[in-house]
Each structure stands twice: as C-alpha cells, then as structure tokens.
C-alpha cells in the first residue's frame, strides 16, 4: 500500500511539474528561446502573490487573478524588449541573457527578501487538508486541485493553439516566421503574445509551488527550472501533453525514490531523466501539438 | 589542365597570409616577463594579496575554459561547476589516501577530463538551450551522488588533509604557485589548441556549420575535445579551490555561482577571444573586491553588465579595444597581407 501511495502522490505532483514545464516548452516551441530564468520568474510570481495577499487581503486562492495578468504583461514586455533584441543577435545571446537574468533575479531576491523561505496560505484548510482512502493513502486537496489546474491549463493551451486566432498566428510564426511576416502577421507581436501566455503559466506554477511547498530565492533554479526541464525531456521536446507525461513520470520516480530512502527523492528523478535521455532522447511522446 | 587563369594567379602572388601583423615573439616575451614577475609575488606582497590573486587565477582559468566552450565551440554549459566540484573532490580523495594535495592536483585535473567523456555522451544528445540545462542537471546529479558517500564527508564535506607540519607562509606560496601554474598552462594549452587544426575546425563551424561538415570537418569530435579540455581545466581550477579553501564542501564547490562567474567574466571581457577572459577576470575581481561588503550585489551588477554587453557590445571590452588599436596578444587567426612588402618578397621569389 505504501508503494501505491507513493505512485498516487507522484502522479499528483506530476501535475505541478507539468505546470512548470508547459511554459518552458511553449517558449522553446515558438521562439526557440530556452529561458534559463524560467524558474526564477516563477519564484518572482510567488513573491508577488505573497505581497498582494499581505497588502490587499484578497483570498489566497484568488491571488492568481491579479498575479497572472501582471506576469503576462511582464512576459510581453520582456519578450518585446530584451528577449527580442537577444533573438535578433543569435540563439547564443538569448542563452547568455536569460542566464544573466536568472542570476540577477535570484541574487536580487536574496538581497531584498533574504534567504528565508516563505509559503503561500500555509494556514489555509485547503492547503493543509487531505482526505483518506483506506488507512494509509491520504490525498491532499491542494495536490488534487493543482493537478486539475494543470490539466485545465494544458486543455486551454491546446484549444488556444489549435482554435483561436492568436493560436493559429503563433503556430504559423513558429513554423516559419518570415513567411508569416509576408502574410501580414507581425511576428514580434505574436512572439510577445506567446511569451505572455507562457508567463501566465509560469505565474500559476509559482503560486502553486508556493502553496504546495516553500519558496526561497534558490527554488527557481534548484527545483522549478531543473524539474521543468526534466519533465520536458522525459515527455518529449515540443510536445504539450508530453509535459504532463514527463511531469508524472518524474513525480512518480521521485516518490518511489523517497520511499526507498528519504534522501534519494531528487536523485531518483534525475536518474530516470538520464535513462530516458540515453534510451529515448526524443522523449516518451515524440509527436505533439507543436511538433 | 590548370583551372587558375593567368591574371588571378599573378594577382595571388601579391598576397601573403600571416598569423599576425606584429611579431608574436614580442608578445611572447612580454607574457614571459609578466609570468616571471607574478611568480615572485609571494616574496614581495602580503599573504592577503596572494589569496585574492589565487581567487583571480581560479576565475581566469574557469573563464578561459568557458570561453573555449561558448565562444569557440558554441556550447553554452551552465553545469561547469560539475567539474569544479569533481576536481576538488578528486584532490580530497587522493589527499585522504595520503597523497600531497599539490601532487594530487594534476591527477585530479586528468581525472576530471576523463569524467567528461561519459558526461559528454549524455549531454551531447541535446542542442543549445537544452544542452545548457542538461549540463546543469548533471552537475546537480553528481553532487547528489557524492553526498551519498559519508567517507568523503557526505553532505557536509571534509577539511582537506595533508598539510600537517607545513609552515603557513610556505603553504600560501605553494598555493599561489599552483594557481599561477594552472592558469598559465590553461592559457598556453588553449592558445596552442586554437592555433592548430582544432582552431580551424571550430572557426569554420562558427561561421557555417553545414559548410564545415560538408567539407569534412569532424564537428562532433572537435566539440568532444573542447568539452574534455574544459573538463580538465575546470577540474584543475576546482583542485586549486580545494587547496586554497583547505576544505571541500559539496554545496560550495558544486554551486552554479561558479558558472555565473566564469560566464560573466567572459561576456564582459569578450566572447571568442583569448584576451577577453583576461580583461573580464580583472573587471570581475575589481568589482568583487570593491563590493565585497555588500553581499550579493557584485553578482547582480556583474549580471546586469553582462546582459547589457551581450546585447549591445557583443565582442565585449576586448572587442572595443580591438576596434581602436587592432592588436592580438594571442594571434590564432590569419591575416591577409597585401602591399609593397608582400610584393617585394613575391618578386624576390620569382627572380631568385
């Protein structure tokens, strides 16, 4: 039963990892930008949520209504300014710039908000509550909610990309930006929209992680970026639903690792990542919406 | 049948291809003097100064290696701290077995290079940005594995043994010389590598990878070689780090901060030149020493400067200097020379 419990917990945390991963995958799929500051931006979103909850006393769960638009706007602006300038230079430059951003954000948070870790809504019954199946399996409401949000986000992204006007523009620009430009689509603006959508998922990921665990300045790279990346690679580069598969596999691997030895949680996840990288570098799901 | 028509053949005679506009021997002599002067530092300055210099040597070695990776081979690794950590731990392990840490240093460097082979096998499956994060994951994984061995200190690390009975001044001087030696060897090694076949292949790949591949350049092999050399260099720097700190702590030696420092030094100094990392390291050390009392500020400022330089002055500080005076301290490229001197030589050759 302990193993069944580990697998259930792993599947549910997989939803959280998919939430981290889909924005990374979207940015790469559309703009060929691997945003090394991805995780740090999620931490920024979490810190914004903490600040907003403290100042305006909005209900914890509804903080995303404010944080998501802020992050989306930040994504659009960042893409139109810094990231687009870097893209115009070279792919190498985007890596150097996003790595620089990552270090600056992480140390900036450290400088202004200290290394203390902080959670979001730690006293909420939803955050601490759980229901039990049998005597040993306990499922946290929060994890279930995060998993549902992740599935909803992926469904929403799929609908957005395949049906909406901007989704079609994004796919056109991702396929061939010069051709899309000739057909009248301003690819810079479309890139900005794609970044805004990606940052909106980053905001959800940051808030979700802040409720699930604690945020501190190093969480962004130590946890969010590396887990997001592992989920993307395990699931398959450029595949939207692959991020959920990858997240679930990573989550289950970590929980089983923790079951064997509590200190092996992270290591087990990375070992599964490396095994997939060796045996199936194209990922478990090799074709997806964007590929 | 010759395809070269007579006029082009004649025209070609008035060109000459050389390494440099100035004599390399001059820069070589100056570099030698600088190294000799630096070697005498332990006799003339305080030990506090040499400690800072050792830190500078570590950063310069790391930056030069990162420049080789990113600036010449197009490999942006954000996991070079893996090799810093491995180098430090190899020194620790050998020292625990009774070897002097200074004797362990070259062994640790070579071992780090050997460790680069299987790591390359893993990460070379991914390109550009995903390669970058994969190296980061590898560094995190290696640290987690090392923390599982209590005999080498587990999660908390161990002090470095093997210095018992050594006078403190002697230890400071030896550490300084070890750092200097590692840096000088790293720079000479990179210079010779880039002057040779590898340099040509890498330059060709940087300009046009498809064309280089179709001309028979073994791109994969060249990148593997660069990754291994960078592993040796970063491992050696990690070994010097262990010796200068007198202890090895996993979270410190495997910190991504090492990669941040090497990358920023290279970007600010100038990506893709041997001179760039040297200038970048000087800038780094000056900033770090002046802002030392303001915690993380030096990294924030360095990061912002690096972002601005990467966006608007892509060839860095050295590029700005180079635009004005056009010099190469380490000429690895080729110059096409025309004009009277070349003409006269060509004439002499024809007549003689």
């Amino acid at each position: 039963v302990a193993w069944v419990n580990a697998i259930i917990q792993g599947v549910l945390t997989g939803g959280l990892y998919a939430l981290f991963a889909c924005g990374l995958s979207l940015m790469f799929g559309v703009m060929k930008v691997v945003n090394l500051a991805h995780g740090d931006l999620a931490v920024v979103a979490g810190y914004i949520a903490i600040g907003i909850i403290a100042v305006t006393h909005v209900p914890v769960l509804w903080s995303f209504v404010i944080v998501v638009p802020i992050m989306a706007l930040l994504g659009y602006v960042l893409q139109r300014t810094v990231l687009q300038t870097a893209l115009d230079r070279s792919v190498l430059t985007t890596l150097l710039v996003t790595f620089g951003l990552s270090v600056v954000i992480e140390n900036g948070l450290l400088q202004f908000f200290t290394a203390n870790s902080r959670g979001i809504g730690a006293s909420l019954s939803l955050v601490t509550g759980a229901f039990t199946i049998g005597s040993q399996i306990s499922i946290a409401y929060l994890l279930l909610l995060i998993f549902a949000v992740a599935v909803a986000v992926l469904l929403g992204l799929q609908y957005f990309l395949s049906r909406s006007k901007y989704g079609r523009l994004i796919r056109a620009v991702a396929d061939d930006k010069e051709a899309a430009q000739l057909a009248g689509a301003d690819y810079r603006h479309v890139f900005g929209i794609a970044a805004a959508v990606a940052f909106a998922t980053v905001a959800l990921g940051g808030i979700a992680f802040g409720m699930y665990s604690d945020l501190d300045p190093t969480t962004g790279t130590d946890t969010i970026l590396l887990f997001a990346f592992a989920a993307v690679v395990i699931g398959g580069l450029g595949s939207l639903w692959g991020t959920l598969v990858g997240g679930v596999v990573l989550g289950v691997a970590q929980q089983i690792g923790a079951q064997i030895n509590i200190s092996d949680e992270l290591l087990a996840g990375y070992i599964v990542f490396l095994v997939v990288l060796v045996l199936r570098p194209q990922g478990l799901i090799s074709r997806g919406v964007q590929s | 049948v010759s395809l070269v028509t007579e006029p082009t053949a004649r025209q070609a005679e008035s060109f000459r291809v050389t390494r440099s506009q100035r004599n390399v021997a001059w820069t070589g002599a100056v570099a030698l003097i600088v190294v000799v002067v630096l070697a005498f530092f332990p006799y003339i300055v305080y030990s506090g100064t040499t400690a800072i210099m050792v830190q500078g040597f570590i950063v310069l070695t790391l930056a030069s290696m990162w420049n080789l990776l990113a600036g010449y081979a197009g490999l942006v690794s954000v996991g070079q701290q893996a090799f810093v950590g491995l180098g430090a731990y190899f020194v620790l392990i050998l020292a625990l077995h009774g070897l002097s840490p200074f004797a362990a240093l070259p062994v640790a460097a070579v071992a780090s290079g050997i460790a680069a082979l299987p790591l390359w096998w893993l990460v070379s499956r991914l390109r550009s940005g995903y390669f970058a994060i994969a190296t980061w994951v590898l560094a995190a994984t290696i640290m987690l594995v090392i923390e599982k061995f209590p005999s080498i200190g587990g999660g908390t690390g161990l002090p470095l043994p093997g210095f018992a009975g050594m006078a403190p001044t002697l230890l400071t001087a030896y550490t300084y010389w070890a750092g200097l030696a590692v840096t000088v060897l790293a720079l000479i090694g990179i210079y010779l590598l880039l002057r040779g076949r590898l340099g040509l292949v890498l330059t060709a790949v940087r300009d046009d990878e498809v064309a280089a591949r179709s001309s028979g350049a073994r791109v994969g092999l060249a990148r593997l070689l660069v990754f291994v050399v960078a592993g040796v260099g970063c491992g050696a720097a990690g070994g010097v780090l262990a010796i200068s700190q007198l202890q090895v702590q996993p979270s410190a030696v495997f910190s991504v901060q090492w990669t941040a420092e090497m990358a920023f030094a290279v970007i600010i100094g100038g990506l893709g030149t041997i001179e760039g990392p040297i200038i970048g390291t000087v800038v780094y050390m000056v900033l770090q020493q002046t802002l030392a009392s303001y915690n993380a500020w030096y990294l924030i400022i360095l990061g912002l400067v690096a972002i601005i330089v990467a966006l608007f002055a892509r060839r860095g500080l050295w590029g700005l200097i180079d635009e004005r005076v056009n010099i190469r301290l380490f000429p690895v490229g080729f110059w096409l020379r025309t004009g009277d001197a070349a003409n006269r030589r060509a004439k002499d050759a024809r007549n003689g």
Side-chain angles (χ1 to χ4, degrees):
Chain A
V1 185
W3 297 99
V4 177
N5 186 45
I7 289 169
I8 291 173
Q9 303 302 330
V11 170
L12 290 178
T13 41
L16 181 64
Y17 300 160
L19 216 45
F20 295 160
C22 60
L24 193 70
S25 187
L26 185 70
M27 296 267 288
F28 181 73
V30 178
M31 293 158 261
K32 306 287 174 287
V33 169
V34 172
N35 182 8
L36 295 176
H38 184 81
D40 299 293
L41 288 162
V43 176
V44 168
Y47 274 53
I48 293 177
I50 294 171
I52 283 173
I53 292 164
V55 173
T56 64
H57 302 290
V58 291
V60 172
L61 268 188
W62 292 103
S63 61
F64 79 91
V65 179
I66 306 170
V67 179
V68 167
I70 292 176
M71 289 305 286
L73 186 68
L74 178 68
Y76 186 85
V77 172
L78 205 61
Q79 173 62 38
R80 288 305 297 263
T81 53
V82 176
L83 294 181
Q84 187 63 53
T85 314
L87 266 175
D88 291 341
R89 306 283 190 271
S90 66
V91 172
L92 182 79
T93 312
T94 64
L95 281 175
L96 303 181
V97 166
T98 56
F99 183 58
L101 274 179
S102 164
V103 176
V104 169
I105 293 174
E106 190 170 317
N107 286 287
L109 292 175
L110 202 63
Q111 193 66 41
F112 290 109
F113 300 104
T114 71
N116 294 345
S117 58
R118 44 197 95 206
I120 301 176
S123 57
L124 235 61
S125 62
L126 175 93
V127 172
T128 50
F131 63 89
T132 50
I133 303 171
S135 58
Q136 288 185 44
I137 297 175
S138 128
I139 293 172
Y141 291 119
L142 180 69
L143 267 182
L144 209 56
L145 176 71
I146 291 174
F147 191 85
V149 167
V151 172
V153 164
L154 290 177
L155 278 173
L157 273 179
Q158 188 177 24
Y159 180 82
F160 171 73
L161 286 173
S162 55
R163 296 268 185 276
S164 75
K165 176 192 158 210
Y166 270 115
R168 279 197 295 273
L169 277 175
I170 287 174
R171 281 187 297 139
V173 168
D175 273 351
D176 191 334
K177 68 170 193 270
E178 276 84 15
Q181 186 86 17
L182 286 173
D186 177 10
Y187 78 83
R188 288 160 199 272
H189 176 63
V190 177
F191 275 8
I193 299 288
V197 173
F199 274 54
T201 68
V202 166
L204 289 177
I207 297 172
F209 191 80
M211 293 171 82
Y212 167 71
S213 174
D214 281 332
L215 289 168
D216 69 66
T218 60
T219 317
T221 47
D222 280 357
T223 309
I224 301 180
L225 177 71
L226 296 192
F227 289 3
F229 167 71
V232 167
V233 170
I234 294 173
L237 302 182
S239 156
L240 207 50
W241 288 99
T243 59
L244 185 62
V245 175
V248 165
V249 171
L250 182 68
V252 170
Q254 288 181 345
Q255 292 301 325
I256 290 179
Q259 193 64 40
I260 297 167
N261 183 344
I262 193 70
S263 66
D264 284 344
E265 182 179 338
L266 294 177
L267 193 57
Y270 291 145
I271 285 172
V272 168
F273 157 77
L274 291 174
V275 168
V276 171
L277 192 59
V278 169
L279 297 181
R280 211 176 146 76
Q282 74 274 35
L284 297 177
I285 294 182
S286 53
R287 289 187 61 85
V289 200
Q290 291 165 49
S291 56
Chain B
V1 180
S2 166
L3 287 174
V4 182
T5 54
E6 184 66 10
T8 35
R10 192 171 291 162
Q11 212 173 8
E13 283 169 0
S14 61
F15 291 111
R16 206 160 58 88
V17 174
T18 59
R19 276 287 178 187
S20 170
Q21 289 181 315
R22 288 180 181 79
N23 197 341
V24 185
W26 278 109
T27 39
V30 172
L32 189 67
I33 293 169
V34 169
V35 171
V36 169
V37 170
L38 282 176
F40 277 103
F41 261 46
Y43 298 108
I44 42 182
V45 299
Y46 292 111
S47 61
T49 314
T50 55
I52 295 169
M53 302 272 302
V54 169
Q55 218 185 325
F57 290 145
I58 293 172
V59 175
L60 178 53
T61 309
L62 293 174
S64 300
M65 293 302 157
W66 201 82
N67 179 44
L68 187 64
L69 285 166
Y72 286 93
L75 299 168
V76 178
S77 163
V78 279
Q80 283 309 106
Q81 68 271 24
F83 297 100
V84 178
L86 281 176
Y89 267 96
F90 285 136
V91 166
L92 174 69
I93 293 167
L94 290 168
L96 286 172
H97 285 87
L99 200 64
S100 153
F102 292 106
L105 189 56
V107 186
V110 172
S112 303
I114 293 169
L117 288 169
L119 300 184
W120 174 254
W121 179 70
L122 288 169
V123 292
S124 61
R125 292 147 203 273
L126 296 163
R127 296 258 121 222
S128 81
Y130 283 141
F131 170 87
I133 316 184
T135 55
W136 203 337
V137 172
L138 267 187
T141 310
I142 292 171
M143 184 181 91
L144 289 171
V145 171
I146 282 180
E147 285 182 341
K148 291 200 71 67
F149 292 96
S151 58
I152 49 172
T156 50
L158 278 178
L160 188 62
F163 296 115
M166 197 182 237
T169 43
L170 207 56
L171 175 59
T172 322
Y174 276 158
T175 309
Y176 176 86
W177 284 322
L180 180 65
V182 164
T183 308
V184 169
L185 286 176
L187 285 175
I188 292 175
I190 289 175
Y191 175 55
L192 292 179
L193 265 181
L194 291 176
R195 264 182 86 104
R197 225 184 139 74
L198 181 77
L200 272 178
V201 171
L202 292 176
T203 314
V205 173
R206 189 164 58 172
D207 291 344
D208 189 336
E209 184 170 344
V210 180
R213 279 181 189 276
S214 58
S215 310
R218 295 166 79 181
V219 179
L221 193 68
R223 288 199 169 127
L224 164 67
L225 191 57
V226 166
F227 195 72
V228 170
V229 169
V232 173
C234 293
V240 175
L241 176 72
I243 293 171
S244 67
Q245 303 282 312
L246 297 175
Q247 62 165 344
V248 181
Q249 199 190 351
S251 58
V253 292
F254 283 104
S255 166
V256 73
Q257 195 164 318
W258 293 112
T259 299
E261 288 170 2
M262 55 182 111
F264 292 165
V266 172
I267 297 166
I268 293 171
L271 198 66
T273 57
I274 299 182
E275 296 87 348
I278 301 176
I279 296 202
T281 303
V282 172
V283 172
Y284 168 86
M285 289 308 291
V286 168
L287 260 179
Q288 199 231 28
Q289 289 304 316
T290 38
L291 298 174
S293 49
Y294 300 95
N295 303 326
W297 271 110
Y298 80 97
L299 267 181
I300 299 174
I301 290 171
L302 271 172
L304 288 174
V305 172
I307 291 172
I308 291 165
V309 168
L311 286 176
F312 301 110
R314 275 195 289 165
R315 296 178 59 222
L317 287 179
W318 182 255
L320 296 179
I321 296 170
D322 188 35
E323 269 169 26
R324 289 193 174 72
V325 289
N326 204 345
I327 49 165
R328 291 283 185 289
L329 300 183
F330 301 92
V332 292
F334 292 95
W335 288 90
L336 190 63
R337 299 186 70 177
T338 56
D340 294 341
N343 267 329
R344 220 174 301 126
R345 265 163 205 247
K347 244 176 235 160
D348 291 348
R350 251 202 316 273
N351 297 338

